[in-house]
Every structure is written in structure tokens, then in C-alpha cells.
Amino acid sequence: MKFIRKSAEYIGYTLYHGEKFNEWRCPNKKCGMSVLEEYVCCPYCGQKLRFNEPFQEEIQQYKVLVQRK
């Protein structure tokens, strides 16, 4: 296992029955799989994870991309 905790990458959010669920990606370059906020480690590669709140700019950027489709 990797003992250094890294920040997971925020990739957007999903609305499900009116609730907002953030989507995250493993920070390990070789892995990059989707992970949940409940995870302490990535289930695929064992990388320890830390979840930081996404910046408002990132959230706004994803809203614009979703509205264009």
C-alpha cells in the first residue's frame, strides 16, 4: 500500500433523486479509477485518499459543460 495520502481529483457531480453526489478520481496516475468519498484507500491500487472540497470555479465549469449538451 501507499502510505502517502493524496488528494483525489474532483471530476463533477451526479444528481440522483434530488441529491447531489460528488464524483472523484484516484490521484495515482497508473490507476485513475473512480472512487467514492467513503473510501479511505483506492480499492483498485491501494492509494490512500484525501477528499478536499472542490473550488467554486471547478463546479461552475462543470455546470457550463453539462448545460451545453
Side-chain angles (χ1 to χ4, degrees), residues 3 5 11 15 17 20-23 25-27 31 33 35-37 43-45 47-48 53 55 59-62 68:
F3 295 111
R5 201 174 283 261
I11 56 173
L15 290 175
H17 291 288
K20 180 179 146 185
F21 296 98
N22 292 330
E23 295 182 3
R25 183 179 300 150
C26 177
C31 179
M33 298 296 288
V35 294
L36 299 175
E37 290 181 2
Y44 306 103
C45 68
Q47 172 70 52
K48 286 201 169 200
E53 286 296 315
F55 296 112
I59 294 173
Q60 185 65 27
Q61 177 185 6
Y62 287 112
R68 288 184 182 176

Side-chain angles (χ1 to χ4, degrees), residues 49-66:
L49 301 171
R50 175 179 49 215
F51 297 96
N52 298 332
E53 286 296 315
F55 296 112
Q56 284 299 110
E57 298 167 358
E58 290 178 349
I59 294 173
Q60 185 65 27
Q61 177 185 6
Y62 287 112
K63 283 183 182 177
V64 170
L65 291 175
V66 170

